[in-house]
Amino acid sequence: MNCVDDFRLRLAGRELVPIVIGGMGVDISTAELALEAARLGGIGHISDAMVPTVSDRRFKTRFVKDKLKLYKYNVANTDKSDVRFDLGHLAEATRLHVGRTMDEKRGDGMVFINCMEKLTMNAPKETLRVRLSAALDAGIDGITLAAGLHLGSFSLIEDHPRFRHAQLGIIVSSLRALQLFLRKNARLDRLPDFVVIEGPLAGGHLGFGMDWAEYDLATIVTEIREWLQAEELNIPLIPAGGIFTGGDATAFLEQGAAAVEVATRFTVARECGLPEDVQQEYFRASEQDIEVNGISPTGYPMRMLKSSPAIGDGIRPNCEAFGYLLDSAGRCGYIEAYNREVAKHPEAKKVAVVDKTCLCTHMRNFECWTCGHYTYRLKDTTRRRGDGGYEILSAQHIFHDYQFSKGGTIALPPDGESSP
Ligand SMILES: Cc1cc2nc3c(=O)[nH]c(=O)nc-3n(C[C@H](O)[C@H](O)[C@H](O)COP(=O)(O)O)c2cc1C
């Protein structure tokens, strides 16, 4: 019986362990987590979601405070179109986050950055160009284009000196999305170096409608593989979403996948950015505690724990400090929902907003507990502590379990491996 370690991912002339830890914003897939994947010979992702905020936390910069100070006059205004990101600050934050991570990289693996198109930041093109270019400037090994179709993203960086050398890939959830991307970028004569195919069981935003349950990852992977073969295009394919055991991963590799992308198992790693009390919520969750809902202002369905504090919360929009989801006209679905509730309940001290959430604020504060479908199986991957909680795992333990375990087995941590 094969295991993941019998396979290698060939990328950039190198041979890697075919395990990719997916990007998890905001700073859930920390530099520490990504660096562990690289040290162990695979690929880890940091995320550029809310990168000035992440930089403030990591490097004690003051990007958020300074932005809030600049736009304080606008806090009570329902029109947020004035609120702009300073592109110099955005570049600096990205360079800090990426540069420091790359300086600390050890081992034979790689570190990529997950770059979400839906973070439109009131200037979609300009802010995306800055984030992509600054990540390349700071030496990132690769970029994974995520959360959006990214039809124009390659052209934003086509003049960058690393455009043809860095590993650039895209996440798609359908053959159609991939075809569109390839068609739009044909003139650049540069194929993506890899394609992550994300199925409906993934965490974070989903590239499906609310009918996500009608889709199946293996079917989409086969469809894309057969089409690429017919077109004589050789692009490494990396399935993602619901690959929970080494056996699940091996099955995809045996079918011709170049690697697998996984995330949910690592949400309970010590190196993950989620606070431990939130990790315990993930462990405790049962299948009924998880839902896919429409509260993200991005318009994409998102999977999360039903007990997330973000659900139903009616906080005042925080765009002057954050504002990552403002579209090119300075609008966000949450602002509209919030204003509607305030107009309905003019006397209320605090309103409840159930149809949308202030995703920036709640992701920043780890209050939107987004998770993969199989989160309810995390409790089977560890031991129970004396106090009733679950042992937090090391990223190395989880990575090695994917790499070496066979069939559907999951190795538990050695007794007392992780202290509470
Ligand atoms: C907590 C969490 C946060 C995530 N955040 C992002 C994100 O910011 N951007 C993104 O492209 N994918 C995100 N994802 C998706 C993962 O990168 C990955 O592709 C997917 O979850 C893999 O499936 P699995 O979680 O079932 O292993 C997230 C996943 C989880 C579990």
Side-chain angles (χ1 to χ4, degrees), residues 22-26 28 47 49 114 116 146-147 171 196 198 201-205 240-243 261-265 267 274 282 370-374 402:
M24 295 181 271
V26 171
I28 297 177
S47 160
N114 178 289
M116 294 174 63
I171 302 184
V196 176
E198 199 177 74
L201 302 185
H205 290 99
I243 301 172
E261 176 169 293
V262 289
T264 293
R265 291 274 310 269
T267 57
L274 289 174
Y282 280 46
T370 182
C371 63
H373 176 77
Y374 286 130
Y402 271 118

PDB file of all heavy atoms in Angstrom, residues 22-26 28 47 49 114 116 146-147 171 196 198 201-205 240-243 261-265 267 274 282 370-374 402, ligand 1:
ATOM      1  N   GLY A  22      -2.480  24.971   2.882  1.00  0.00           N
ATOM      2  CA  GLY A  22      -3.165  26.074   2.212  1.00  0.00           C
ATOM      3  C   GLY A  22      -3.104  27.369   3.005  1.00  0.00           C
ATOM      4  O   GLY A  22      -2.902  27.367   4.225  1.00  0.00           O
ATOM      5  N   GLY A  23      -3.286  28.467   2.307  1.00  0.00           N
ATOM      6  CA  GLY A  23      -3.317  29.773   2.961  1.00  0.00           C
ATOM      7  C   GLY A  23      -4.582  29.910   3.792  1.00  0.00           C
ATOM      8  O   GLY A  23      -5.661  29.520   3.350  1.00  0.00           O
ATOM      9  N   MET A  24      -4.438  30.446   4.981  1.00  0.00           N
ATOM     10  CA  MET A  24      -5.590  30.679   5.855  1.00  0.00           C
ATOM     11  C   MET A  24      -5.476  32.084   6.429  1.00  0.00           C
ATOM     12  O   MET A  24      -4.662  32.344   7.309  1.00  0.00           O
ATOM     13  CB  MET A  24      -5.629  29.648   6.999  1.00  0.00           C
ATOM     14  CG  MET A  24      -5.854  28.216   6.554  1.00  0.00           C
ATOM     15  SD  MET A  24      -5.906  27.058   7.939  1.00  0.00           S
ATOM     16  CE  MET A  24      -4.181  26.603   8.123  1.00  0.00           C
ATOM     17  N   GLY A  25      -6.289  32.982   5.867  1.00  0.00           N
ATOM     18  CA  GLY A  25      -6.300  34.340   6.396  1.00  0.00           C
ATOM     19  C   GLY A  25      -7.296  34.417   7.527  1.00  0.00           C
ATOM     20  O   GLY A  25      -8.172  33.570   7.624  1.00  0.00           O
ATOM     21  N   VAL A  26      -7.225  35.383   8.420  1.00  0.00           N
ATOM     22  CA  VAL A  26      -6.193  36.386   8.544  1.00  0.00           C
ATOM     23  C   VAL A  26      -5.159  35.899   9.553  1.00  0.00           C
ATOM     24  O   VAL A  26      -5.485  35.797  10.737  1.00  0.00           O
ATOM     25  CB  VAL A  26      -6.833  37.701   9.033  1.00  0.00           C
ATOM     26  CG1 VAL A  26      -5.795  38.757   9.405  1.00  0.00           C
ATOM     27  CG2 VAL A  26      -7.771  38.246   7.977  1.00  0.00           C
ATOM     28  N   ILE A  28      -4.111  33.000  10.135  1.00  0.00           N
ATOM     29  CA  ILE A  28      -4.347  31.683  10.748  1.00  0.00           C
ATOM     30  C   ILE A  28      -3.207  30.769  10.279  1.00  0.00           C
ATOM     31  O   ILE A  28      -2.621  30.033  11.066  1.00  0.00           O
ATOM     32  CB  ILE A  28      -5.741  31.138  10.362  1.00  0.00           C
ATOM     33  CG1 ILE A  28      -6.834  32.071  10.912  1.00  0.00           C
ATOM     34  CG2 ILE A  28      -5.938  29.711  10.880  1.00  0.00           C
ATOM     35  CD1 ILE A  28      -8.255  31.689  10.543  1.00  0.00           C
ATOM     36  N   SER A  47      -0.537  34.260   4.263  1.00  0.00           N
ATOM     37  CA  SER A  47      -1.651  34.893   3.559  1.00  0.00           C
ATOM     38  C   SER A  47      -1.420  36.395   3.551  1.00  0.00           C
ATOM     39  O   SER A  47      -0.875  36.944   4.510  1.00  0.00           O
ATOM     40  CB  SER A  47      -2.953  34.567   4.289  1.00  0.00           C
ATOM     41  OG  SER A  47      -3.946  35.496   3.941  1.00  0.00           O
ATOM     42  N   ALA A  49      -3.935  38.428   3.420  1.00  0.00           N
ATOM     43  CA  ALA A  49      -5.190  39.043   3.856  1.00  0.00           C
ATOM     44  C   ALA A  49      -4.912  39.993   5.019  1.00  0.00           C
ATOM     45  O   ALA A  49      -4.320  39.601   6.018  1.00  0.00           O
ATOM     46  CB  ALA A  49      -6.183  37.966   4.286  1.00  0.00           C
ATOM     47  N   ASN A 114      -0.733  33.385  -0.250  1.00  0.00           N
ATOM     48  CA  ASN A 114      -2.095  33.279  -0.770  1.00  0.00           C
ATOM     49  C   ASN A 114      -2.630  34.698  -0.942  1.00  0.00           C
ATOM     50  O   ASN A 114      -2.641  35.494  -0.004  1.00  0.00           O
ATOM     51  CB  ASN A 114      -2.932  32.496   0.257  1.00  0.00           C
ATOM     52  CG  ASN A 114      -4.383  32.355  -0.139  1.00  0.00           C
ATOM     53  OD1 ASN A 114      -5.137  33.318  -0.115  1.00  0.00           O
ATOM     54  ND2 ASN A 114      -4.788  31.158  -0.493  1.00  0.00           N
ATOM     55  N   MET A 116      -5.747  37.015  -2.176  1.00  0.00           N
ATOM     56  CA  MET A 116      -7.188  36.981  -2.467  1.00  0.00           C
ATOM     57  C   MET A 116      -7.635  38.166  -3.312  1.00  0.00           C
ATOM     58  O   MET A 116      -7.480  39.315  -2.901  1.00  0.00           O
ATOM     59  CB  MET A 116      -7.978  36.990  -1.143  1.00  0.00           C
ATOM     60  CG  MET A 116      -7.771  35.728  -0.322  1.00  0.00           C
ATOM     61  SD  MET A 116      -8.553  35.841   1.301  1.00  0.00           S
ATOM     62  CE  MET A 116     -10.260  36.008   0.874  1.00  0.00           C
ATOM     63  N   ALA A 146      -6.014  33.488  -5.214  1.00  0.00           N
ATOM     64  CA  ALA A 146      -7.158  32.852  -4.541  1.00  0.00           C
ATOM     65  C   ALA A 146      -8.357  33.790  -4.517  1.00  0.00           C
ATOM     66  O   ALA A 146      -8.231  34.983  -4.786  1.00  0.00           O
ATOM     67  CB  ALA A 146      -6.757  32.509  -3.105  1.00  0.00           C
ATOM     68  N   ALA A 147      -9.503  33.223  -4.160  1.00  0.00           N
ATOM     69  CA  ALA A 147     -10.747  33.977  -3.928  1.00  0.00           C
ATOM     70  C   ALA A 147     -11.020  35.013  -5.011  1.00  0.00           C
ATOM     71  O   ALA A 147     -10.947  36.220  -4.783  1.00  0.00           O
ATOM     72  CB  ALA A 147     -10.716  34.634  -2.551  1.00  0.00           C
ATOM     73  N   ILE A 171      -6.054  29.135  -7.714  1.00  0.00           N
ATOM     74  CA  ILE A 171      -7.060  28.207  -7.182  1.00  0.00           C
ATOM     75  C   ILE A 171      -8.312  28.313  -8.045  1.00  0.00           C
ATOM     76  O   ILE A 171      -8.804  29.424  -8.294  1.00  0.00           O
ATOM     77  CB  ILE A 171      -7.439  28.547  -5.724  1.00  0.00           C
ATOM     78  CG1 ILE A 171      -6.197  28.507  -4.828  1.00  0.00           C
ATOM     79  CG2 ILE A 171      -8.509  27.593  -5.213  1.00  0.00           C
ATOM     80  CD1 ILE A 171      -6.470  28.730  -3.344  1.00  0.00           C
ATOM     81  N   VAL A 196      -4.364  24.741  -8.099  1.00  0.00           N
ATOM     82  CA  VAL A 196      -5.033  24.130  -6.948  1.00  0.00           C
ATOM     83  C   VAL A 196      -6.510  23.992  -7.322  1.00  0.00           C
ATOM     84  O   VAL A 196      -7.138  24.967  -7.751  1.00  0.00           O
ATOM     85  CB  VAL A 196      -4.887  24.998  -5.678  1.00  0.00           C
ATOM     86  CG1 VAL A 196      -5.679  24.396  -4.516  1.00  0.00           C
ATOM     87  CG2 VAL A 196      -3.420  25.169  -5.296  1.00  0.00           C
ATOM     88  N   GLU A 198      -9.920  23.406  -5.779  1.00  0.00           N
ATOM     89  CA  GLU A 198     -10.528  23.391  -4.438  1.00  0.00           C
ATOM     90  C   GLU A 198     -11.982  22.947  -4.532  1.00  0.00           C
ATOM     91  O   GLU A 198     -12.794  23.594  -5.185  1.00  0.00           O
ATOM     92  CB  GLU A 198     -10.419  24.782  -3.817  1.00  0.00           C
ATOM     93  CG  GLU A 198     -10.577  24.746  -2.313  1.00  0.00           C
ATOM     94  CD  GLU A 198     -10.398  26.115  -1.704  1.00  0.00           C
ATOM     95  OE1 GLU A 198     -11.313  26.952  -1.847  1.00  0.00           O
ATOM     96  OE2 GLU A 198      -9.349  26.347  -1.082  1.00  0.00           O
ATOM     97  N   LEU A 201     -15.640  20.941   0.042  1.00  0.00           N
ATOM     98  CA  LEU A 201     -15.521  20.640   1.476  1.00  0.00           C
ATOM     99  C   LEU A 201     -14.449  21.485   2.169  1.00  0.00           C
ATOM    100  O   LEU A 201     -14.148  21.291   3.344  1.00  0.00           O
ATOM    101  CB  LEU A 201     -15.211  19.146   1.678  1.00  0.00           C
ATOM    102  CG  LEU A 201     -16.235  18.175   1.078  1.00  0.00           C
ATOM    103  CD1 LEU A 201     -15.891  16.730   1.432  1.00  0.00           C
ATOM    104  CD2 LEU A 201     -17.660  18.504   1.543  1.00  0.00           C
ATOM    105  N   ALA A 202     -13.860  22.437   1.428  1.00  0.00           N
ATOM    106  CA  ALA A 202     -12.757  23.252   1.965  1.00  0.00           C
ATOM    107  C   ALA A 202     -13.240  24.222   3.042  1.00  0.00           C
ATOM    108  O   ALA A 202     -14.435  24.438   3.226  1.00  0.00           O
ATOM    109  CB  ALA A 202     -12.111  24.034   0.819  1.00  0.00           C
ATOM    110  N   GLY A 203     -12.267  24.837   3.707  1.00  0.00           N
ATOM    111  CA  GLY A 203     -12.572  25.916   4.645  1.00  0.00           C
ATOM    112  C   GLY A 203     -12.489  27.257   3.937  1.00  0.00           C
ATOM    113  O   GLY A 203     -12.113  27.335   2.770  1.00  0.00           O
ATOM    114  N   GLY A 204     -12.820  28.315   4.653  1.00  0.00           N
ATOM    115  CA  GLY A 204     -12.775  29.652   4.062  1.00  0.00           C
ATOM    116  C   GLY A 204     -13.919  29.858   3.078  1.00  0.00           C
ATOM    117  O   GLY A 204     -14.977  29.237   3.187  1.00  0.00           O
ATOM    118  N   HIS A 205     -13.711  30.727   2.102  1.00  0.00           N
ATOM    119  CA  HIS A 205     -14.728  30.986   1.076  1.00  0.00           C
ATOM    120  C   HIS A 205     -14.763  29.842   0.076  1.00  0.00           C
ATOM    121  O   HIS A 205     -13.728  29.241  -0.220  1.00  0.00           O
ATOM    122  CB  HIS A 205     -14.389  32.291   0.339  1.00  0.00           C
ATOM    123  CG  HIS A 205     -14.559  33.515   1.180  1.00  0.00           C
ATOM    124  ND1 HIS A 205     -13.501  34.144   1.815  1.00  0.00           N
ATOM    125  CD2 HIS A 205     -15.664  34.229   1.511  1.00  0.00           C
ATOM    126  CE1 HIS A 205     -13.950  35.194   2.488  1.00  0.00           C
ATOM    127  NE2 HIS A 205     -15.267  35.267   2.331  1.00  0.00           N
ATOM    128  N   ALA A 240      -7.687  20.048  -3.348  1.00  0.00           N
ATOM    129  CA  ALA A 240      -7.828  20.574  -1.977  1.00  0.00           C
ATOM    130  C   ALA A 240      -9.282  20.479  -1.547  1.00  0.00           C
ATOM    131  O   ALA A 240     -10.189  20.599  -2.368  1.00  0.00           O
ATOM    132  CB  ALA A 240      -7.379  22.038  -1.933  1.00  0.00           C
ATOM    133  N   GLY A 241      -9.472  20.288  -0.235  1.00  0.00           N
ATOM    134  CA  GLY A 241     -10.832  20.318   0.301  1.00  0.00           C
ATOM    135  C   GLY A 241     -11.291  18.948   0.740  1.00  0.00           C
ATOM    136  O   GLY A 241     -11.668  18.122  -0.085  1.00  0.00           O
ATOM    137  N   GLY A 242     -11.202  18.675   2.034  1.00  0.00           N
ATOM    138  CA  GLY A 242     -11.713  17.420   2.560  1.00  0.00           C
ATOM    139  C   GLY A 242     -10.718  16.275   2.519  1.00  0.00           C
ATOM    140  O   GLY A 242     -11.093  15.127   2.765  1.00  0.00           O
ATOM    141  N   ILE A 243      -9.461  16.558   2.222  1.00  0.00           N
ATOM    142  CA  ILE A 243      -8.429  15.504   2.216  1.00  0.00           C
ATOM    143  C   ILE A 243      -7.915  15.406   3.654  1.00  0.00           C
ATOM    144  O   ILE A 243      -7.108  16.218   4.093  1.00  0.00           O
ATOM    145  CB  ILE A 243      -7.310  15.851   1.199  1.00  0.00           C
ATOM    146  CG1 ILE A 243      -7.921  16.000  -0.192  1.00  0.00           C
ATOM    147  CG2 ILE A 243      -6.208  14.789   1.231  1.00  0.00           C
ATOM    148  CD1 ILE A 243      -6.964  16.538  -1.255  1.00  0.00           C
ATOM    149  N   GLU A 261      -3.419  19.864  -1.329  1.00  0.00           N
ATOM    150  CA  GLU A 261      -3.420  21.019  -0.418  1.00  0.00           C
ATOM    151  C   GLU A 261      -4.376  20.720   0.729  1.00  0.00           C
ATOM    152  O   GLU A 261      -5.514  20.297   0.507  1.00  0.00           O
ATOM    153  CB  GLU A 261      -3.842  22.295  -1.141  1.00  0.00           C
ATOM    154  CG  GLU A 261      -3.936  23.477  -0.170  1.00  0.00           C
ATOM    155  CD  GLU A 261      -4.097  24.818  -0.855  1.00  0.00           C
ATOM    156  OE1 GLU A 261      -3.149  25.230  -1.525  1.00  0.00           O
ATOM    157  OE2 GLU A 261      -5.163  25.429  -0.703  1.00  0.00           O
ATOM    158  N   VAL A 262      -3.883  20.946   1.924  1.00  0.00           N
ATOM    159  CA  VAL A 262      -4.670  20.639   3.122  1.00  0.00           C
ATOM    160  C   VAL A 262      -4.599  21.825   4.085  1.00  0.00           C
ATOM    161  O   VAL A 262      -3.633  22.590   4.053  1.00  0.00           O
ATOM    162  CB  VAL A 262      -4.138  19.359   3.817  1.00  0.00           C
ATOM    163  CG1 VAL A 262      -4.459  18.137   2.988  1.00  0.00           C
ATOM    164  CG2 VAL A 262      -2.640  19.444   4.073  1.00  0.00           C
ATOM    165  N   ALA A 263      -5.600  21.951   4.918  1.00  0.00           N
ATOM    166  CA  ALA A 263      -5.600  23.083   5.854  1.00  0.00           C
ATOM    167  C   ALA A 263      -6.256  22.738   7.188  1.00  0.00           C
ATOM    168  O   ALA A 263      -5.682  22.958   8.251  1.00  0.00           O
ATOM    169  CB  ALA A 263      -6.284  24.284   5.228  1.00  0.00           C
ATOM    170  N   THR A 264      -7.466  22.179   7.128  1.00  0.00           N
ATOM    171  CA  THR A 264      -8.250  21.977   8.359  1.00  0.00           C
ATOM    172  C   THR A 264      -7.467  21.239   9.450  1.00  0.00           C
ATOM    173  O   THR A 264      -7.514  21.622  10.616  1.00  0.00           O
ATOM    174  CB  THR A 264      -9.553  21.220   8.019  1.00  0.00           C
ATOM    175  OG1 THR A 264     -10.364  22.091   7.225  1.00  0.00           O
ATOM    176  CG2 THR A 264     -10.325  20.814   9.252  1.00  0.00           C
ATOM    177  N   ARG A 265      -6.744  20.206   9.076  1.00  0.00           N
ATOM    178  CA  ARG A 265      -5.994  19.447  10.096  1.00  0.00           C
ATOM    179  C   ARG A 265      -5.008  20.359  10.840  1.00  0.00           C
ATOM    180  O   ARG A 265      -4.687  20.135  12.004  1.00  0.00           O
ATOM    181  CB  ARG A 265      -5.224  18.280   9.440  1.00  0.00           C
ATOM    182  CG  ARG A 265      -6.073  17.148   8.900  1.00  0.00           C
ATOM    183  CD  ARG A 265      -6.423  16.090   9.944  1.00  0.00           C
ATOM    184  NE  ARG A 265      -5.335  15.547  10.726  1.00  0.00           N
ATOM    185  CZ  ARG A 265      -4.619  14.469  10.429  1.00  0.00           C
ATOM    186  NH1 ARG A 265      -4.864  13.806   9.319  1.00  0.00           N
ATOM    187  NH2 ARG A 265      -3.670  14.017  11.236  1.00  0.00           N
ATOM    188  N   THR A 267      -5.426  23.517  11.571  1.00  0.00           N
ATOM    189  CA  THR A 267      -6.020  24.575  12.403  1.00  0.00           C
ATOM    190  C   THR A 267      -5.815  24.284  13.896  1.00  0.00           C
ATOM    191  O   THR A 267      -5.937  25.180  14.717  1.00  0.00           O
ATOM    192  CB  THR A 267      -7.535  24.749  12.138  1.00  0.00           C
ATOM    193  OG1 THR A 267      -8.196  23.494  12.364  1.00  0.00           O
ATOM    194  CG2 THR A 267      -7.802  25.226  10.719  1.00  0.00           C
ATOM    195  N   LEU A 274      -4.712  30.594  15.279  1.00  0.00           N
ATOM    196  CA  LEU A 274      -5.936  30.617  16.085  1.00  0.00           C
ATOM    197  C   LEU A 274      -5.608  30.506  17.567  1.00  0.00           C
ATOM    198  O   LEU A 274      -4.801  29.657  17.958  1.00  0.00           O
ATOM    199  CB  LEU A 274      -6.844  29.438  15.708  1.00  0.00           C
ATOM    200  CG  LEU A 274      -7.534  29.470  14.355  1.00  0.00           C
ATOM    201  CD1 LEU A 274      -8.271  28.151  14.108  1.00  0.00           C
ATOM    202  CD2 LEU A 274      -8.508  30.639  14.259  1.00  0.00           C
ATOM    203  N   TYR A 282     -12.984  24.138  17.761  1.00  0.00           N
ATOM    204  CA  TYR A 282     -12.873  23.312  16.552  1.00  0.00           C
ATOM    205  C   TYR A 282     -12.879  21.829  16.940  1.00  0.00           C
ATOM    206  O   TYR A 282     -13.541  21.015  16.311  1.00  0.00           O
ATOM    207  CB  TYR A 282     -11.591  23.643  15.779  1.00  0.00           C
ATOM    208  CG  TYR A 282     -11.660  24.899  14.918  1.00  0.00           C
ATOM    209  CD1 TYR A 282     -12.190  26.082  15.401  1.00  0.00           C
ATOM    210  CD2 TYR A 282     -11.172  24.902  13.614  1.00  0.00           C
ATOM    211  CE1 TYR A 282     -12.236  27.225  14.623  1.00  0.00           C
ATOM    212  CE2 TYR A 282     -11.215  26.039  12.813  1.00  0.00           C
ATOM    213  CZ  TYR A 282     -11.746  27.201  13.334  1.00  0.00           C
ATOM    214  OH  TYR A 282     -11.795  28.334  12.548  1.00  0.00           O
ATOM    215  N   THR A 370     -14.057  30.206  10.645  1.00  0.00           N
ATOM    216  CA  THR A 370     -14.173  29.479   9.388  1.00  0.00           C
ATOM    217  C   THR A 370     -13.388  28.177   9.474  1.00  0.00           C
ATOM    218  O   THR A 370     -12.368  28.106  10.160  1.00  0.00           O
ATOM    219  CB  THR A 370     -13.726  30.338   8.184  1.00  0.00           C
ATOM    220  OG1 THR A 370     -13.923  29.578   6.982  1.00  0.00           O
ATOM    221  CG2 THR A 370     -12.275  30.770   8.292  1.00  0.00           C
ATOM    222  N   CYS A 371     -13.891  27.160   8.793  1.00  0.00           N
ATOM    223  CA  CYS A 371     -13.314  25.827   8.981  1.00  0.00           C
ATOM    224  C   CYS A 371     -13.732  24.924   7.825  1.00  0.00           C
ATOM    225  O   CYS A 371     -14.675  25.222   7.102  1.00  0.00           O
ATOM    226  CB  CYS A 371     -13.830  25.240  10.294  1.00  0.00           C
ATOM    227  SG  CYS A 371     -15.614  24.992  10.304  1.00  0.00           S
ATOM    228  N   GLY A 372     -13.025  23.825   7.666  1.00  0.00           N
ATOM    229  CA  GLY A 372     -13.378  22.853   6.642  1.00  0.00           C
ATOM    230  C   GLY A 372     -14.513  21.949   7.107  1.00  0.00           C
ATOM    231  O   GLY A 372     -14.832  21.868   8.302  1.00  0.00           O
ATOM    232  N   HIS A 373     -15.110  21.267   6.143  1.00  0.00           N
ATOM    233  CA  HIS A 373     -16.249  20.390   6.434  1.00  0.00           C
ATOM    234  C   HIS A 373     -15.905  19.335   7.500  1.00  0.00           C
ATOM    235  O   HIS A 373     -16.731  19.004   8.348  1.00  0.00           O
ATOM    236  CB  HIS A 373     -16.667  19.702   5.128  1.00  0.00           C
ATOM    237  CG  HIS A 373     -17.757  18.703   5.280  1.00  0.00           C
ATOM    238  ND1 HIS A 373     -19.076  19.084   5.438  1.00  0.00           N
ATOM    239  CD2 HIS A 373     -17.743  17.341   5.327  1.00  0.00           C
ATOM    240  CE1 HIS A 373     -19.817  17.995   5.567  1.00  0.00           C
ATOM    241  NE2 HIS A 373     -19.039  16.930   5.503  1.00  0.00           N
ATOM    242  N   TYR A 374     -14.685  18.794   7.418  1.00  0.00           N
ATOM    243  CA  TYR A 374     -14.335  17.692   8.337  1.00  0.00           C
ATOM    244  C   TYR A 374     -13.791  18.153   9.684  1.00  0.00           C
ATOM    245  O   TYR A 374     -13.216  17.346  10.428  1.00  0.00           O
ATOM    246  CB  TYR A 374     -13.345  16.745   7.671  1.00  0.00           C
ATOM    247  CG  TYR A 374     -14.001  15.876   6.613  1.00  0.00           C
ATOM    248  CD1 TYR A 374     -13.439  15.763   5.338  1.00  0.00           C
ATOM    249  CD2 TYR A 374     -15.169  15.164   6.880  1.00  0.00           C
ATOM    250  CE1 TYR A 374     -14.045  14.970   4.366  1.00  0.00           C
ATOM    251  CE2 TYR A 374     -15.782  14.381   5.911  1.00  0.00           C
ATOM    252  CZ  TYR A 374     -15.207  14.284   4.655  1.00  0.00           C
ATOM    253  OH  TYR A 374     -15.810  13.513   3.710  1.00  0.00           O
ATOM    254  N   TYR A 402       0.227  12.946   7.551  1.00  0.00           N
ATOM    255  CA  TYR A 402      -0.150  12.945   6.128  1.00  0.00           C
ATOM    256  C   TYR A 402       0.907  12.210   5.292  1.00  0.00           C
ATOM    257  O   TYR A 402       0.590  11.482   4.364  1.00  0.00           O
ATOM    258  CB  TYR A 402      -0.265  14.378   5.601  1.00  0.00           C
ATOM    259  CG  TYR A 402      -1.638  15.004   5.744  1.00  0.00           C
ATOM    260  CD1 TYR A 402      -1.843  16.131   6.527  1.00  0.00           C
ATOM    261  CD2 TYR A 402      -2.734  14.485   5.059  1.00  0.00           C
ATOM    262  CE1 TYR A 402      -3.100  16.722   6.640  1.00  0.00           C
ATOM    263  CE2 TYR A 402      -3.998  15.063   5.158  1.00  0.00           C
ATOM    264  CZ  TYR A 402      -4.163  16.172   5.954  1.00  0.00           C
ATOM    265  OH  TYR A 402      -5.411  16.745   6.061  1.00  0.00           O
TER     266      TYR A 402
HETATM  267  C1  LIG B   1      -9.492  28.259   8.779  1.00  0.00           C
HETATM  268  C2  LIG B   1      -9.341  28.304   7.292  1.00  0.00           C
HETATM  269  C3  LIG B   1      -9.113  29.511   6.659  1.00  0.00           C
HETATM  270  C4  LIG B   1      -8.935  29.568   5.279  1.00  0.00           C
HETATM  271  N1  LIG B   1      -8.665  30.762   4.684  1.00  0.00           N
HETATM  272  C5  LIG B   1      -8.401  30.804   3.357  1.00  0.00           C
HETATM  273  C6  LIG B   1      -8.006  32.020   2.751  1.00  0.00           C
HETATM  274  O1  LIG B   1      -7.865  33.054   3.399  1.00  0.00           O
HETATM  275  N2  LIG B   1      -7.756  32.015   1.408  1.00  0.00           N
HETATM  276  C7  LIG B   1      -7.885  30.864   0.666  1.00  0.00           C
HETATM  277  O2  LIG B   1      -7.648  30.898  -0.531  1.00  0.00           O
HETATM  278  N3  LIG B   1      -8.246  29.694   1.230  1.00  0.00           N
HETATM  279  C8  LIG B   1      -8.488  29.637   2.541  1.00  0.00           C
HETATM  280  N4  LIG B   1      -8.799  28.429   3.126  1.00  0.00           N
HETATM  281  C9  LIG B   1      -8.817  27.215   2.289  1.00  0.00           C
HETATM  282  C10 LIG B   1      -7.514  26.418   2.442  1.00  0.00           C
HETATM  283  O3  LIG B   1      -6.408  27.160   1.998  1.00  0.00           O
HETATM  284  C11 LIG B   1      -7.526  25.062   1.725  1.00  0.00           C
HETATM  285  O4  LIG B   1      -7.483  25.171   0.326  1.00  0.00           O
HETATM  286  C12 LIG B   1      -8.681  24.160   2.076  1.00  0.00           C
HETATM  287  O5  LIG B   1      -9.264  24.452   3.296  1.00  0.00           O
HETATM  288  C13 LIG B   1      -8.201  22.709   2.086  1.00  0.00           C
HETATM  289  O6  LIG B   1      -9.194  21.840   2.528  1.00  0.00           O
HETATM  290  P1  LIG B   1      -9.208  21.217   4.012  1.00  0.00           P
HETATM  291  O7  LIG B   1      -9.316  22.362   4.933  1.00  0.00           O
HETATM  292  O8  LIG B   1     -10.411  20.337   3.997  1.00  0.00           O
HETATM  293  O9  LIG B   1      -7.932  20.447   4.205  1.00  0.00           O
HETATM  294  C14 LIG B   1      -9.000  28.367   4.510  1.00  0.00           C
HETATM  295  C15 LIG B   1      -9.228  27.156   5.163  1.00  0.00           C
HETATM  296  C16 LIG B   1      -9.401  27.099   6.530  1.00  0.00           C
HETATM  297  C17 LIG B   1      -9.625  25.777   7.201  1.00  0.00           C
END
